[in-house]
Amino acid sequence: MQASDEWVPTETIARGKAEGAYALLRDFPSLNRYRSWKYLGGGAFGKVFAGVHGGLGRIEAVKRMAIPDARVRSMALGEARLMAALPPHPHLVTLYNAEEQKDAIFLTMQCVDGKPLEDLALPLSVDRALGYARDTIEALSMVHAHGVVHRDIKPGNIFSTVHGDGVLGDFGVARESDSRDGTAAIAGTPAYMAPEAFRAGAGPASDLWSVGVMLYELLTGQRPFPQCEELPLDQVPGALRGARLEFPSVVRPGVPGRVDDLVLNLLAYNPEDRFASAMAVLDHLPRYDTSVSAIDADLTRLDVEAVAVSANERLAMNIPGSVAHAIAEAAGDEIVQQAAIQAPARVGSVVVTAGGRLPARWVFHAVTLRVDERGYLVHAREGDLRKALRACLRKAHELRVKTLALPAMGTHSGGLTPDEAARMMVDVTHTYLIEFRPPIERIVFALPDKMLQIAFREAALDRGMLLI
């Protein structure tokens, strides 16, 4: 039976008049707490329904798992109660209740407004793929801290919400990490299972392997070890030991080398060779969705929503060789006139004008330079540069700008060395993105100087920023 778009009244199900999968709900102990139902789908571990709670009016998900073995049912109920006791987490489906009836258990949980990652068009952009991996790892860090192994991480069990966040669900095969019960000990989806999981040895590191397989698939549109997927289960661990792993960047040119390293670590054959914990993985992932690039580019030609320039208090754009002068030449007199109307401007602030003839819609005049009593510009101060760059990011945030390009602040003015400028730009950008998680999808630093590009990449690496 396919997932349905129509809601079936509870009374219809209770009277046995509902067809297909809905008949499985007749023995649900809490059936009458709900007004109506919709079938969402099912797999190897059960069928999932959405139900409208009669008292709360809330839509909840109910998963029915057929488990004939009473001992396995008891174990599954115990694990479900453990999951229900977990604190709420933005990237983890909340489990409300678990009930047993005859040869089945019913899990009642949060119904996510979204769709599983397996329904998205793959491959995803690098930043989106990393974002879903990060959300999954954040949820796993809490799950593992409470002594639980999920054991079925895969795109079908991660839901993309309407806001683009990833939410981990489906605890149908979760177990305590120190469980030694051999009954049903081998569980999960074979294509995503770690080698040790095939031998009933699944632990927290096994979930990290599964994240590695999922991330590889999101990045490339294919799984890393297709040659092992058709083998009998008892042959898979040995085949994985000798399987050749093609780096994501080989399958899809443009994937950063650091992402290759991340995937390689997650897919290490031996559990002890993987990251020590889910929290350790987070140290290698950006904590925000915005992608950051440092490229040799001309700001006047970049197809972005907004470009930023280093401006002076008078907002004059007449110094030959400066980025502001180049912007004025390319954009037209309209930009110069709009800026002049808003002068003088406070150092550390941002003045916004239209983009004129530029591909960009806006120009952000980041006021970084002071003018002395004789009318001369003085060298930029690092504190002023930091304030102006942060103001640019804040203005982009306020205007809901998706793409922003920035120059090398502090170098043309003679205020900072390339190393100092690189550290400043990386530090301010990285801190702002972590603190506010703005909707900016991409930030491009246009750095025509080779030494500055190198310094920027080194500073980004030191801060854990991933350049794409």
Side-chain angles (χ1 to χ4, degrees):
M1 179 178 179
Q2 298 294 320
S4 172
D5 291 328
E6 297 183 2
W7 290 89
V8 177
T10 297
E11 184 179 352
T12 302
I13 296 173
R15 291 181 175 180
K17 295 182 179 180
E19 299 179 353
Y22 291 103
L24 297 173
L25 285 172
R26 291 186 64 190
D27 58 354
F28 178 36
S30 300
L31 176 66
N32 290 320
R33 291 183 185 174
Y34 298 83
R35 302 178 205 157
S36 56
W37 297 87
K38 182 192 293 186
Y39 177 60
L40 299 181
F45 299 108
K47 307 291 185 184
V48 183
F49 305 83
V52 181
H53 195 285
L56 301 175
R58 177 176 67 188
I59 297 177
E60 299 177 350
V62 174
K63 179 175 183 178
R64 183 188 189 277
M65 299 167 57
I67 307 177
D69 189 299
R71 186 161 173 251
V72 177
R73 261 199 324 277
S74 176
M75 181 174 63
L77 278 171
E79 299 296 346
R81 293 184 182 114
L82 187 64
M83 294 302 299
L86 292 177
H89 191 285
H91 301 300
L92 184 69
V93 166
T94 301
L95 187 62
Y96 301 134
N97 196 15
E99 299 173 87
E100 179 180 11
Q101 182 68 21
K102 297 181 180 177
D103 63 349
I105 64 171
F106 294 84
L107 303 180
T108 305
M109 61 191 83
Q110 171 192 358
C111 191
V112 178
D113 185 6
K115 57 183 178 181
L117 300 189
E118 66 180 2
D119 290 347
L120 303 181
L122 303 181
L124 303 178
S125 63
V126 174
D127 53 311
R128 282 190 74 196
L130 291 173
Y132 288 128
R134 182 195 63 237
D135 294 345
T136 304
I137 287 292
E138 286 185 1
L140 283 176
S141 66
M142 188 190 73
V143 171
H144 291 170
H146 285 77
V148 177
V149 182
H150 188 280
R151 304 208 307 172
D152 201 20
I153 302 296
K154 59 181 180 180
N157 283 341
I158 313 297
F159 296 88
S160 175
T161 71
V162 292
H163 303 294
D165 296 322
V167 178
L168 171 60
D170 201 331
F171 307 107
V173 295
R175 296 285 184 273
E176 288 183 283
S177 57
D178 61 352
S179 174
R180 293 294 182 268
D181 195 315
T183 306
I186 300 176
T189 304
Y192 301 89
M193 285 168 58
E196 66 276 8
F198 288 91
R199 304 187 180 103
S206 307
D207 283 342
L208 302 187
W209 167 285
S210 301
V211 172
V213 176
M214 181 183 76
L215 177 57
Y216 192 103
E217 186 174 4
L218 297 181
L219 289 168
T220 68
Q222 62 189 55
R223 289 190 286 271
F225 306 110
Q227 66 272 34
C228 300
E229 293 185 15
E230 301 301 323
L231 297 174
L233 295 186
D234 61 344
Q235 296 180 23
V236 174
L240 287 173
R241 180 184 290 278
R244 179 176 178 271
L245 175 65
E246 212 166 25
F247 285 169
S249 63
V250 173
V251 180
R252 182 185 175 189
V255 173
R258 280 190 62 206
V259 176
D260 282 342
D261 295 339
L262 172 69
V263 171
L264 186 64
N265 192 303
L266 289 168
L267 296 179
Y269 184 85
N270 296 312
E272 60 271 19
D273 293 332
R274 298 171 209 151
F275 289 102
S277 66
M279 286 300 295
V281 181
L282 284 178
D283 292 337
H284 291 74
L285 284 167
R287 304 289 182 98
Y288 38 80
D289 296 324
T290 306
S291 67
V292 181
S293 302
I295 60 176
D296 182 355
D298 181 350
L299 277 179
T300 67
R301 297 176 181 272
L302 284 176
D303 186 12
V304 293
E305 285 188 66
V307 295
V309 299
S310 290
N312 55 71
E313 289 175 295
R314 297 181 179 179
L315 300 180
M317 307 176 73
N318 55 5
I319 302 176
S322 68
V323 174
H325 186 260
I327 290 288
E329 289 283 301
D333 292 339
E334 176 189 359
I335 304 301
V336 178
Q337 294 166 4
Q338 287 184 23
I341 292 173
Q342 301 181 71
R346 178 172 50 84
V347 174
S349 67
V350 169
V351 171
V352 179
T353 65
R357 295 194 297 264
L358 296 174
R361 180 180 178 184
W362 289 295
V363 175
F364 292 174
H365 303 255
V367 187
T368 61
L369 298 172
R370 298 175 184 270
V371 180
D372 65 18
E373 63 278 1
R374 297 173 297 171
Y376 294 116
L377 299 180
V378 299
H379 287 175
R381 305 172 185 175
E382 183 170 347
D384 293 339
L385 290 163
R386 286 178 172 271
K387 289 179 183 177
L389 176 54
R390 186 175 177 86
C392 277
L393 297 171
R394 184 169 60 248
K395 183 59 67 175
H397 194 167
E398 291 171 356
L399 294 175
R400 315 300 287 182
V401 164
K402 297 296 184 182
T403 51
L404 170 67
L406 298 122
M409 289 188 175
T411 52
H412 186 269
S413 67
L416 300 178
T417 67
D419 283 345
E420 291 169 339
R423 285 196 300 272
M424 182 277 297
M425 290 186 287
V426 167
D427 183 53
V428 173
T429 305
H430 190 56
T431 301
Y432 188 89
L433 294 178
I434 287 177
E435 186 175 358
F436 293 103
R437 296 281 293 274
I440 307 173
E441 293 177 357
R442 187 178 183 218
I443 296 175
V444 180
F445 282 90
L447 310 177
D449 181 82
K450 189 67 174 179
M451 293 303 296
L452 185 55
Q453 289 180 34
I454 294 172
F456 192 97
R457 292 180 185 281
E458 290 178 348
L461 186 62
D462 288 342
R463 288 303 304 270
M465 177 187 283
L466 179 64
L467 296 183
I468 298 174

